[in-house]
């Protein structure tokens, strides 16, 4: 399992991935889940992957050389690749084609071995003067796009890190705040799930730059992430302790727990063998 986050904001994009691959209790290894495709001044794209590692690695290898008919009916037009696509939509179409090629090559053999064809990817970036775009790509090669209403994607072990993203991330969030939020989200996942692990890869992309130097590899010794881990845990405990405890015996409280409900009676008890709740 793994955990990856992609965030599309007004000011740019943030990508974060862990690097743990778990194929059993004695088969825990480190593999990077992020890859960057950059041609400065022309295009910048990031691919995050989760799921079966052999599938993801095959897709990444094929994506480098995958060619797709443009679909415009012009026989003189060269096939689409991620390096000549004029839009992120066309680039993600090439990625979808690469996923489907791997499916045609490997799905039957995987199924015969009792293994599902399972790979999910986040693909985001910017080409030329086009707006930044980010996509969630499924195992069938189909995809959906991030919007203002849903401006981030998660893949892998996402449930533990989702609450903080839902409470903080909005299109107007700054890149630094989004990077901090993504790291808190990752820390929450690391705390609760052993299948996600360090080191992490963090990348921040500024709108219109068509390149990025804001890339960090984060391990146990990283001072900023160690600060996040300790301060976030402490602040959560402080927030928890600041909430009033429930009062069961009529104690004074501005937020009483045991109050009459206009719609529902308290739960009943069964006190004899013949008694029924319903």
């Amino acid at each position: 399992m793994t955990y990856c986050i992609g965030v599309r904001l007004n000011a740019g994009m943030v990508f974060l991935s862990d690097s743990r691959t778990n194929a059993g209790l004695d088969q825990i290894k480190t593999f990077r889940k992020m890859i960057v495709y950059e041609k400065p001044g022309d295009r910048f794209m990031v691919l995050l992957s989760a799921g079966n590692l052999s599938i993801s690695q095959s897709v990444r290898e094929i994506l480098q050389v995958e060619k797709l008919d443009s679909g415009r009916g012009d026989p003189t037009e060269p096939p689409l690749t991620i390096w000549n696509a004029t839009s992120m939509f066309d680039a993600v179409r090439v990625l979808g084609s690469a996923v489907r090629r791997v499916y045609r090559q490997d799905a039957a053999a995987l199924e015969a071995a009792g293994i599902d064809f399972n790979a999910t990817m986040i693909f985001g970036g910017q080409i030329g003067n086009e707006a930044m775009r980010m996509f969630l790509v499924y195992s069938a090669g189909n995809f959906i796009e991030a919007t203002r209403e849903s401006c981030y994607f998660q893949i892998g072990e996402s449930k533990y890190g989702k609450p903080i993203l839902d409470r903080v991330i909005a299109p107007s969030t700054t890149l630094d705040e989004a990077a901090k939020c993504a790291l808190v989200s990752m820390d929450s996942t690391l705390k609760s799930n052993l299948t996600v692990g360090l080191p992490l890869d963090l990348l921040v992309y500024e709108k219109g730059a068509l390149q990025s130097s804001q890339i960090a590899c984060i391990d146990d010794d990283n001072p900023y992430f160690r600060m996040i881990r300790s301060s976030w845990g402490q602040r959560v405990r402080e927030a928890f302790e600041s909430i009033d405890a429930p009062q069961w015996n009529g104690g004074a409280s501005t937020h009483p727990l045991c109050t009459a409900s206009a719609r529902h009676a308290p739960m009943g008890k069964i006190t004899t063998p013949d008694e029924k709740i319903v």
Side-chain angles (χ1 to χ4, degrees), residues 205-241:
Y205 172 76
E206 295 183 10
K207 177 182 177 181
L210 297 176
Q211 62 183 346
S212 177
S213 59
Q214 295 177 294
I215 304 173
C217 181
I218 299 169
D219 59 16
D220 281 313
D221 297 324
N222 185 276
Y224 185 82
F225 192 60
R226 290 175 67 182
M227 177 275 294
I228 287 279
R229 305 194 82 168
S230 61
S231 61
W232 178 249
Q234 180 62 32
R235 299 294 173 81
V236 169
R237 286 190 294 272
E238 290 173 359
F240 176 79
E241 291 167 0

Side-chain angles (χ1 to χ4, degrees), residues 84-101:
N84 69 10
T86 57
S87 70
M88 281 300 299
F89 181 81
D90 280 345
V92 77
R93 286 178 56 213
V94 178
L95 173 57
S97 176
V99 173
R100 287 188 289 271
R101 191 202 289 197

